[in-house]
Structures are given as structure tokens and as C-alpha cells.
Amino acid sequence: MTSSSPTEGARQLGHGLRRDIELLEALASAEAQERGGLGVVRLARLTGREKSQVSRALKALADEDIVERDPDTLEYRLGWRLFSLVARTSENRLVRAAEPVMHALSADLEETTHLCVLRGNEVLTLLSVSGHDFRLHGWEGRGVPAARTSAGRVLLMDGTPDELYLRLGGGDLADGFPGSTVHAVQDVWQRVQEARRDGYAQVSEEFEPGLVGVSAPIRDFRGRVVAALNISAPYERMDGSLPAAGRATALAAERVSAQLGWEPRPRPVRPRFT
């Protein structure tokens, strides 16, 4: 009986790892996302492997919560542990990917660019870049109402009507903001759908008098909105060019999304308010 050398063992381990990665890539594909998972037979065909090999590999990955098996359909999907690992590094990676794009966008438009995320019912700014001198401003860490900002409306794109109700609550959403065009969750939903249609959201003096802005969504490898790229400026300087600024911001946001692994694909039809 002979034993394999350390070099041969490392080679076999690397080969097995590559095969596991092929399975994970198949489970991250558009087909898997649309179907909610893939079965052993389909995964074997996609990876060119025998069903028994795929079954054993999936069981080992499931034991570590890297993938999970639906008890009803018996199909596999990416597991919570993998998403947890990604989530721990995604925000740092998001800032690193977005910053050079923000500098370029700010220089092109000569306006301030913000990188924003959703926290509860508020928009939080992670990073700001000026188009004039590249100095940072005092928006970082400041929370503003999601319903009344262009960034908030693109950050809410993935939500359902019920999720918007839970997140935004009741009452007059424009209370204390006389320029706002949204008063109820239905108004927010309409603005969110307009942003989905156009690829960006725009507001004019809805959050603060004399301030206008546009925002576009940044998506991760799953296609989920994880951040918003925002341009804010005085009304007299940018109000007439909001659509052009919105399109430029959308293109910049797509460049950041591509670095996070997002590939454009048809999006599902969202439910309507009833």
C-alpha cells in the first residue's frame, strides 16, 4: 500500500476545491436564482460530473451550511454561512469599489457624490466626495428619512408593499417637510416604481429647501440593492439637468455593481398596491 505525497495531496485538495466552486457558481447562476434552487441531476449536467459525486459534495457543503437543501423540493441553494461570510466584508469592499468611481463622477459633474446605505427607515451616508476639491463633507454617519430622499427610494427598490408598510410605518410621511410629494406609503411605492423604470430616482426640494438630488442603485452579486450612489446640489445649479445627472449616476452605479459581481438580468415584476 502506498500513500500519496504531500504534493499529490495538495493537488487533489485543489482539484476538489475547484469542483466545489463550480457547484457554488452554478447555485449562484441566474437559473438557480429564478428557480429558487437546483437539484442534483441539473447540477451534475451543468458541471459535467456524475450525480453520485455531486450528491456527496453537496452533502459535505450542506454539513458546513455553505449550501442548504429545501426539505420539500430537495433542491439546493446557497446557504446562510456563505452569505454571512460575504456580509462581513461587503461594506468594506463596497467603499473600496465605489470611491474611485465617485471621484470620477464628481469630477465629471462637478458636484458632491455620496455613497449611502439603508438602516431601518433612514439613509446613512458612508462616504462623501466633492467634485471641486475632493474634500469630505459632514454627511458621513448622518441619517436622513428614506421616504423623502432619492437615495432612500432606490434603496427601497427590492421591498414589497408590505415590507414598505413595516419599514416606514403609518402617519403623514411628509410631516414637517412641506416640499415633499409623499404623504403615505402608497406615494413612496409609486416613486420607487418610477425609479425602477428610469434606473434612477430624483427629488427637487423635497427633503430640504434649495436642495435637489439624484440617486441610482448599487447591486451585489445576487442582484440585490445594497447601496445607493447619490448626487446632491443646490437647486439653482442642477435642477434643469437632473435627468442627465441621473443617467450619469446610473452608469456609475452600474460600474460599482459590476465590481461587486452583479450581471444585469431581467427583473421580476413587482406586486401592485391593492
Side-chain angles (χ1 to χ4, degrees):
M1 182 176 180
T2 60
S3 59
S4 61
S5 68
T7 301
E8 291 173 342
R11 187 181 298 113
Q12 292 173 0
L13 181 61
H15 182 64
L17 179 59
R18 284 194 297 273
R19 287 181 165 235
D20 287 345
I21 291 174
E22 288 176 354
L23 286 173
L24 296 177
E25 287 180 338
L27 290 174
S29 67
E31 178 185 351
Q33 298 304 305
E34 291 169 3
R35 294 176 52 177
L38 296 174
V40 172
V41 173
R42 181 57 179 159
L43 285 167
R45 289 176 181 168
L46 289 173
T47 59
R49 298 171 61 182
E50 294 182 1
K51 289 186 292 183
S52 59
Q53 293 176 336
V54 170
S55 182
R56 286 195 299 269
L58 288 170
K59 184 179 185 306
L61 291 169
D63 288 342
E64 300 299 327
D65 296 312
I66 300 298
V67 303
E68 58 187 30
R69 192 184 194 192
D70 189 295
D72 297 321
T73 66
L74 304 183
E75 293 186 334
Y76 287 87
R77 54 180 174 260
L78 298 176
W80 69 267
R81 191 174 185 184
L82 183 62
F83 288 118
S84 176
L85 291 170
V86 172
R88 292 179 207 174
T89 60
S90 61
E91 202 157 274
N92 286 336
R93 184 184 178 193
L94 170 65
V95 172
R96 290 197 304 270
E99 187 170 5
V101 176
M102 293 170 66
H103 279 287
L105 180 63
S106 289
D108 182 42
L109 298 181
E110 296 187 341
E111 300 294 352
T112 301
T113 306
H114 306 284
L115 178 65
C116 308
V117 294
L118 192 63
R119 293 291 184 268
N121 62 355
E122 291 189 330
V123 173
L124 180 69
T125 299
L126 297 180
L127 179 67
S128 298
V129 171
S130 168
H132 300 283
D133 53 18
F134 297 126
R135 290 178 302 178
L136 303 185
H137 293 260
W139 284 86
E140 292 90 341
R142 176 182 173 185
V144 296
R148 292 181 287 271
T149 60
S150 61
R153 293 170 190 178
V154 299
L155 288 167
L156 293 169
M157 277 185 178
D158 288 341
T160 65
D162 288 342
E163 289 168 347
L164 258 64
Y165 268 120
L166 292 174
R167 186 180 290 274
L168 301 179
D172 186 353
L173 298 177
D175 186 29
F177 293 82
S180 179
T181 61
V182 298
H183 294 268
V185 178
Q186 290 92 333
D187 299 328
V188 180
W189 179 256
Q190 181 181 344
R191 301 298 183 274
V192 170
Q193 298 316 298
E194 291 171 356
R196 285 179 60 84
R197 177 198 67 202
D198 297 336
Y200 64 90
Q202 65 180 53
V203 297
S204 180
E205 298 189 290
E206 293 190 44
F207 171 65
E208 185 176 304
L211 185 68
V212 300
V214 294
S215 295
I218 295 173
R219 300 179 181 274
D220 66 7
F221 67 99
R222 298 164 295 181
R224 296 182 182 178
V225 177
V226 294
L229 208 56
N230 166 264
I231 291 285
S232 297
Y235 175 90
E236 65 273 9
R237 197 161 67 213
M238 202 175 77
D239 183 65
S241 58
L242 280 178
R247 291 189 292 271
T249 303
L251 289 174
E254 287 182 4
R255 289 198 291 274
V256 181
S257 299
Q259 294 186 55
L260 300 181
W262 175 70
E263 296 180 1
R265 59 180 64 119
R267 297 173 190 164
V269 177
R270 311 304 293 181
R272 294 177 176 271
F273 258 100
T274 57

